[in-house]
Amino acid sequence: MEVKAVFFDIDGTLVNDSRTVLKSTEQAIQSLKEQGIFVGLATGRGPFFVQSFMKDLDLDFAVTYNGQYIFSKEKIISATPIDKSSLREIIDYAKKHKKEIALGTETDMVGSHIMRFGMSKFSQWSSRFVPKGFTRYISHGFNRVVSKALPQQKDDLLDISREPIYQVVMLATPEETQAMEEYFPDLKFTRSSPYAADIINGDTSKLQGIARVGKEYGFDINQVMAFGDSDNDLEMLSGVGMSIAMGNGTSKVKEVAKHTTTSNSQDGIHKALEHFGILASEKVFTSSDHHFNKVKEFHGVMDKKTQEEPIAWTPEGARHRAAFKLEELVEFLRASSSSEEEFDEAVAHLHDSLDKAATKVKGKNPAEISLVGQVDALIDTLYFTYGSFVLMGVDPERLFTIVHQANMGKIFPDGKAHFDPVTHKILKPDDWEEKYAPEPAIKEELERQIKAYEKNCGSKEKN
């Protein structure tokens, strides 16, 4: 797949356990933007919380409050508050069941003092050390103790609710959340904390928010890569084109995601982007040619090594590489033939051309292993290939990325490449055709280019 946009959850994903963004993540985001890839956030946090990330990392947009409030550097893209009647019902429910709640406005999270503490940096950090079996007791304890010491005033909450409220956070166990889902069928309940539930409109989510951004900026959900770690990321990770679970993520997240990387404190984001060839590995030299870097990442995974010092191909290796290219040339002729007879004629002509080329080269260059000679021939091959695209009127930029992602999809679940014992060709996982076969994406991209040309020509004719 071609990646046009990358979205990050914040807590447990973009930031590490010390609540900071790793240097490797900062470098990864900078590289994505240099490649023209959009970078955004998809979080349960409010817009006021993410402003510093937007500024410091130069992000393009943010899907906040789990899709309820979406904005870019330039404007508010979408703002969908919870309707007032539902808010009053939630507040009445909280009072009746003595539940601590906080209301998310555009500028703050207001209401429960303990809920504000629960969303603090210290609380998020300390929750990592609480065994999962104890979270329900802590939730019950907080509700009992705090409701007596600092009781919430219904009237205060109703006053706050007069302004737009985009999300309600309620201190509740997973079991209590299930009961509330039945009580409020038109609302959606998600969880990014072991202690609390996020309550939003039933027809919104991080995934729908990302789709809304894509509509605004010209990419679809299948061209999105997303990173997450919590259960409120499940819908997003199951719906985007490429989903990455952090190593510190929940078991449900890892089951849904297409790939699991290392944790948020172990360069997980950078390593995943390296794994899929979107970033060049720091262990090897990088080129200003992003296509070269992607192919180098592919060989790093497939061959478990890359060549860092310029060397010439051996005769045996050169024959293998030439055979690979020759097969692609035959496929090119096949795709240029309207019948079997025409294809056979084209192949015969190729044989004839090969014999003529051998005779020509014999009289031109001495038979010797030459790094300069090999590079000169390969650059000419590359130049001729670009020339073929030029004469076809096809832009290969996105097409290259599509093929690269398909090749990276040949990695098996064990994280390794598997090879045919006889031909030594790379084998494909059983689900490769379904998930990674490039032909449908190539067809879609070519159709896009044709439509763009027709639209451009039509506008010129009008002028």
Side-chain angles (χ1 to χ4, degrees), residues 43-89:
T43 177
R45 296 283 193 168
F48 56 90
F49 183 87
V50 308
Q51 290 289 357
S52 60
F53 296 106
M54 293 285 289
K55 181 180 178 181
D56 295 344
L57 300 173
D58 190 28
L59 303 179
D60 296 298
F61 27 67
V63 174
T64 66
Y65 282 143
N66 291 301
Q68 297 270 110
Y69 192 102
I70 308 166
F71 66 100
S72 68
K73 290 186 285 189
E74 298 84 18
K75 62 181 180 179
I76 297 172
I77 297 174
S78 175
T80 313
I82 300 173
D83 70 85
K84 300 304 179 184
S85 62
S86 294
L87 270 177
R88 286 193 293 271
E89 290 179 8

Side-chain angles (χ1 to χ4, degrees), residues 240-268:
V240 298
M242 179 54 65
S243 51
I244 312 296
M246 304 303 293
N248 52 287
T250 67
S251 57
K252 288 183 180 179
V253 166
K254 293 176 181 178
E255 288 173 7
V256 165
K258 294 179 180 176
H259 177 75
T260 298
T261 185
T262 53
S263 77
N264 60 328
S265 296
Q266 296 176 310
D267 302 317

Side-chain angles (χ1 to χ4, degrees), residues 287-341:
S287 168
S288 58
D289 183 343
H290 291 303
H291 289 163
F292 175 89
N293 292 334
K294 289 175 181 177
V295 177
K296 188 165 192 176
E297 179 67 16
F298 170 78
H299 280 283
V301 173
M302 298 300 171
D303 303 330
K304 298 303 179 186
K305 64 177 182 178
T306 55
Q307 180 61 39
E308 302 307 302
E309 179 186 1
I311 61 170
W313 279 95
T314 64
E316 182 182 7
R319 285 195 291 270
H320 281 303
R321 300 307 300 180
F324 293 155
K325 295 181 182 68
L326 186 61
E327 182 178 340
E328 300 305 324
L329 287 175
V330 172
E331 285 192 15
F332 175 74
L333 292 177
R334 182 73 172 178
S336 308
S337 302
S338 58
S339 66
E340 290 295 331
E341 293 76 14

